[in-house]
Amino acid sequence: AQKITQTQPGMFVQEKEAVTLDCTYDTSDPSYGLFWYKQPSSGEMIFLIYQGSYDQQNATEGRYSLNFQKARKSANLVISASQLGDSAMYFCAMRELRGGATNKLIFGTGTLLAVQP
Amino acid sequence: EPEVTQTPSHQVTQMGQEVILRCVPISNHLYFYWYRQILGQKVEFLVSFYNNEISEKSEIFDDQFSVERPDGSNFTLKIRSTKLEDSAMYFCASAAALYGYTFGSGTRLTVV
């Protein structure tokens, strides 16, 4: 069965420092996608970054990058130059891309990031 | 940028009452989903909808739940007789075939 594991319930980082949020996954499917979402205290789910299993390069979106290590089944999120507004819950999620009409997301339990001034 | 729109943003209902949560997915998306997040917990899949029918549902999605796409634009989640444990944030999402998985801003349901 598919599974996403986020082992860090909470993290602290100093403003302007980089931080890595860990995510490991388990799937037997060769085709999958990995997502990171940010959930601020207001509750909405904000898409940050996506990595496909066949992508040759690690995904980057502004200050966000995904350290994708396929053999280790890890997809860690790196936030560079942390800002106070980065304080939020961060969820890693996986979507299998096999043929079919579901392609649901499986979420991890999240990491609560606190950026300190 | 296209958005998934959910209404209402917050709903309070009495136990045993029916509620309908509404969503307007992105217009060219084909896959539609409802997820639930109980306060402080992870996001859980409820149901997926494709080609005007349910394609998969979770154990949570029992007979008290139903979904509809009544007019080709709206996508609704109905809970027939709410229970206290249905209190949660409910997210609608829509997706293109491989990319563009987008969540709405959620409806916070409080059952009292």
Side-chain angles (χ1 to χ4, degrees):
Chain A
Q2 317 91 38
K3 189 176 179 183
I4 292 280
T5 302
Q6 294 181 256
T7 56
Q8 306 154 314
M11 292 276 288
F12 288 98
V13 65
Q14 290 292 123
E15 198 177 3
K16 300 179 185 175
E17 298 285 308
V19 62
T20 298
L21 307 184
D22 294 342
C23 173
T24 58
Y25 59 92
D26 189 19
T27 180
S28 55
D29 239 293
S31 297
Y32 51 90
L34 295 157
F35 297 75
W36 277 93
Y37 286 90
K38 173 184 178 181
Q39 187 178 44
S41 56
S42 51
E44 71 268 31
M45 296 288 284
I46 302 169
F47 167 76
L48 295 178
I49 198 166
Y50 171 83
Q51 179 86 42
S53 59
Y54 293 119
D55 293 344
Q56 295 297 312
Q57 293 188 325
N58 286 346
T60 60
E61 290 283 350
R63 293 187 298 111
Y64 304 108
S65 60
L66 202 150
N67 183 2
F68 181 47
Q69 298 188 41
K70 196 170 181 177
R72 298 178 62 183
K73 292 190 174 179
S74 75
N76 299 338
L77 177 70
V78 180
I79 306 174
S80 63
S82 299
Q83 302 171 355
L84 296 177
D86 294 334
S87 294
M89 182 71 89
Y90 289 80
F91 289 99
C92 179
M94 178 174 65
R95 175 186 184 187
E96 293 185 340
L97 299 176
R98 65 181 185 274
T102 301
N103 294 326
K104 66 189 179 194
L105 290 186
I106 305 296
F107 283 83
T109 50
T111 296
L112 183 62
L113 177 66
V115 180
Q116 297 177 319
Chain B
E1 189 168 324
E3 288 185 343
V4 174
T5 305
Q6 287 188 246
T7 54
S9 56
H10 191 186
Q11 178 147 6
V12 180
T13 189
Q14 291 211 322
M15 192 168 52
Q17 295 295 303
E18 174 183 286
V19 294
I20 298 176
L21 309 183
R22 303 183 190 278
C23 170
V24 179
I26 294 174
S27 60
N28 62 346
H29 283 184
L30 302 176
Y31 302 86
F32 311 109
Y33 307 84
W34 283 100
Y35 289 81
R36 179 182 84 173
Q37 185 184 29
I38 294 172
L39 186 63
Q41 298 187 21
K42 68 177 178 181
V43 180
E44 301 172 290
F45 168 76
L46 289 178
V47 65
S48 60
F49 194 86
Y50 171 74
N51 202 24
N52 288 319
E53 61 182 19
I54 291 174
S55 50
E56 185 176 348
K57 57 185 180 180
S58 71
E59 297 170 350
I60 304 166
F61 194 88
D62 61 22
D63 292 344
Q64 292 299 312
F65 291 89
S66 62
V67 289
E68 267 193 333
R69 191 159 157 77
D71 55 12
S73 61
N74 292 287
F75 180 50
T76 62
L77 174 70
K78 182 193 290 186
I79 309 174
R80 283 188 239 294
S81 177
T82 49
K83 303 188 279 283
L84 294 176
E85 54 264 38
D86 293 328
S87 294
M89 181 77 98
Y90 288 81
F91 291 102
C92 173
S94 69
L98 293 176
Y99 305 107
Y101 208 109
T102 304
F103 280 83
S105 54
T107 293
R108 188 173 297 280
L109 177 66
T110 304
V111 182
V112 297

